[in-house]
């Protein structure tokens, strides 16, 4: 939903109604040709009224263009210690249930324009794919319930994301077929 050229809401296309909204016009990200542009200087974000709760296996696919590091792509703006953050030019930091953070590392590239697929298995093993290639540098484990109610920041509006996002897919399951489908879809955007 647009407010002029800014995004006031991003509707959930599933039946779960995890619509992400921003009622403050100064915090609304810009829309441009299918991309939602988040400006970290303005602490722009979109937030749901309820949490997406991922307690077991999950698959998260995101088409994005990272313009600066240090920003949270997905997080929880009401619960501490819940985030998926572009920590550095090669690391995605994940924190669940306010525990010790773990990093998923790109093998040989740096973030930029592309797509990532982050998964967690039933045995809590995390993995990262970047532009359809499974990254092998680290596959840490992280248990707990990942709570997501926000795109672009974490609790108290911290670590705003700077870059664009054109698609986010969140599934509370994991299978090779699902990962293949998410990669195929995101590669065509």
């Amino acid at each position: 939903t647009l407010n002029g050229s800014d995004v006031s809401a991003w509707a959930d296309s599933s039946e779960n109604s995890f619509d992400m909204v921003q009622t403050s016009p100064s915090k609304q990200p810009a829309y441009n040709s299918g991309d939602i542009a988040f400006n970290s200087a303005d602490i722009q974000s979109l937030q749901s009224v309820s949490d997406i709760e991922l307690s077991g296996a999950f698959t998260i696919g995101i088409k994005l263009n990272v313009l600066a590091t240090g920003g949270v792509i997905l997080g929880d703006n009401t619960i501490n210690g819940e985030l998926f953050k572009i920590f550095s030019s090669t690391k995605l930091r994940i924190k669940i249930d306010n525990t010790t953070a773990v990093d998923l590392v790109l093998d040989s590239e740096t973030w930029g324009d592309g797509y990532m697929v982050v998964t967690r298995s039933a045995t809590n093993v995390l993995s990262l794919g970047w532009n359809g290639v499974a990254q092998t540098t680290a596959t840490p484990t992280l248990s707990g319930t990942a709570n997501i109610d926000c795109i672009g920041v974490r609790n108290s509006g911290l670590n705003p994301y700077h870059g664009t996002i054109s698609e986010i897919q969140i599934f509370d399951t994991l299978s090779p077929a699902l990962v293949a489908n998410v990669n195929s879809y995101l590669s065509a955007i």
Side-chain angles (χ1 to χ4, degrees):
T1 304
L2 294 179
N3 176 21
S5 62
D6 294 334
V7 177
S8 60
W10 192 354
D12 181 355
S13 62
S14 77
E15 67 278 358
N16 297 312
S17 300
F18 289 113
D19 300 333
M20 299 287 180
V21 300
Q22 180 54 264
T23 57
S24 173
S26 66
K27 304 293 183 195
Q28 293 173 349
Y31 180 79
N32 184 9
S33 301
D35 293 332
I36 299 176
F38 293 82
N39 183 337
S40 60
D42 296 329
I43 311 175
Q44 296 171 333
S45 64
L46 297 167
Q47 186 168 338
S48 175
V49 296
S50 58
D51 280 4
I52 299 169
E53 296 178 349
L54 303 170
S55 59
F58 62 72
T59 303
I60 298 174
I62 305 171
K63 173 70 171 105
L64 71 171
N65 187 5
V66 178
L67 298 177
T69 61
V72 171
I73 304 166
L74 296 172
D76 197 294
N77 204 18
T78 55
I79 300 173
N80 286 330
E82 302 283 343
L83 56 91
F84 292 76
K85 177 181 179 181
I86 300 294
F87 185 74
S88 72
S89 62
T90 60
K91 291 182 184 176
L92 175 70
R93 177 153 290 172
I94 301 174
K95 196 168 187 181
I96 295 173
D97 291 340
N98 209 19
T99 59
T100 302
V102 299
D103 294 329
L104 296 176
V105 182
L106 294 174
D107 289 339
S108 61
E109 294 185 63
T110 58
W111 303 116
D113 189 10
Y115 62 95
M116 70 170 66
V117 177
V118 179
T119 63
R120 180 170 71 178
S121 71
T123 57
N124 299 314
V125 176
L126 293 168
S127 65
L128 171 66
W130 177 245
N131 291 329
V133 178
Q135 306 299 293
T136 60
T137 304
T139 54
T141 61
L142 188 59
S143 61
T145 300
N147 293 290
I148 300 168
D149 75 356
C150 199
I151 303 169
V153 297
R154 66 180 178 98
N155 196 15
S156 301
L158 297 176
N159 305 118
Y161 173 66
H162 192 80
T164 65
I165 299 175
S166 54
E167 179 73 20
I168 298 175
Q169 298 181 348
I170 301 173
F171 301 92
D172 61 356
T173 188
L174 170 63
S175 74
L178 175 61
V179 171
N181 286 340
V182 170
N183 275 308
S184 178
Y185 181 82
L186 294 176
S187 71
I189 296 177

